[in-house]
Every structure is written in structure tokens, then in C-alpha cells.
């Protein structure tokens, strides 16, 4: 796996750390981009932390705006 992957214009993923139990990625998205396709991970947890800016997320049909924790 490459350390950084361009997934679309204005969006990239960077591997922060990788072990047998955990994969930590840093994603960068340009404003106004398209969301990823609907999906879920039956055997994994997925967690997001907004470092800068804001991100809209739809989880179980409910939309929220996520911002950096202060």
C-alpha cells in the first residue's frame, strides 16, 4: 500500500500508522467535494476526527456537521 493515495481531484488519503489491529489514515478533502459511496464495515469500527475546517456526515440517515474538538 502506498503511503499516500489520491482518491479523486482534491481528495487524498495518507497512512499515519498501520498494525495488525489498527489502520490510521489522514484524509484531506477540498470543499464542495462528493461524498464517498454509502458503505459500512461489519468487522471494523470507523472513527473520524476533524483537524481543521468542517465536514458534513450522514450516519444512520441523520446529517451532522463535524468540527475540530476544542
Amino acid at each position: 500500500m502506498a503511503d499516500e493515495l489520491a482518491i479523486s481531484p482534491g481528495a487524498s488519503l495518507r497512512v499515519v500508522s498501520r498494525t495488525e489491529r489498527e489502520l490510521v489514515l489522514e484524509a484531506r478533502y477540498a470543499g464542495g467535494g462528493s461524498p464517498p459511496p454509502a458503505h459500512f464495515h461489519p468487522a471494523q469500527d470507523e472513527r473520524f476526527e476533524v483537524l481543521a475546517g468542517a465536514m458534513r456526515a450522514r450516519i444512520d440517515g441523520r446529517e451532522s456537521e463535524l468540527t475540530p474538538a476544542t
Side-chain angles (χ1 to χ4, degrees), residues 27-52:
R28 294 180 181 265
Y29 300 98
S34 298
H39 66 284
F40 87 113
H41 305 278
Q44 295 111 1
D45 291 330
E46 186 172 25
R47 184 178 74 85
F48 293 90
E49 178 182 353
V50 177
L51 302 176

Side-chain angles (χ1 to χ4, degrees), residues 1 4 15-16 24 51 55 65:
M1 174 183 274
E4 188 157 350
V15 177
V16 174
V24 178
L51 302 176
M55 180 175 94
E65 183 169 293

Side-chain angles (χ1 to χ4, degrees), residues 1-69:
M1 174 183 274
D3 288 330
E4 188 157 350
L5 175 67
I7 55 175
S8 68
S12 64
L13 294 175
R14 182 176 69 86
V15 177
V16 174
S17 64
R18 169 179 33 200
T19 68
E20 273 189 37
R21 298 191 67 222
E22 181 178 74
L23 174 63
V24 178
L25 302 173
E26 180 177 283
R28 294 180 181 265
Y29 300 98
S34 298
H39 66 284
F40 87 113
H41 305 278
Q44 295 111 1
D45 291 330
E46 186 172 25
R47 184 178 74 85
F48 293 90
E49 178 182 353
V50 177
L51 302 176
M55 180 175 94
R56 284 191 311 252
R58 183 175 300 128
I59 301 169
D60 291 333
R62 193 177 80 216
E63 192 163 313
S64 299
E65 183 169 293
L66 308 174
T67 58

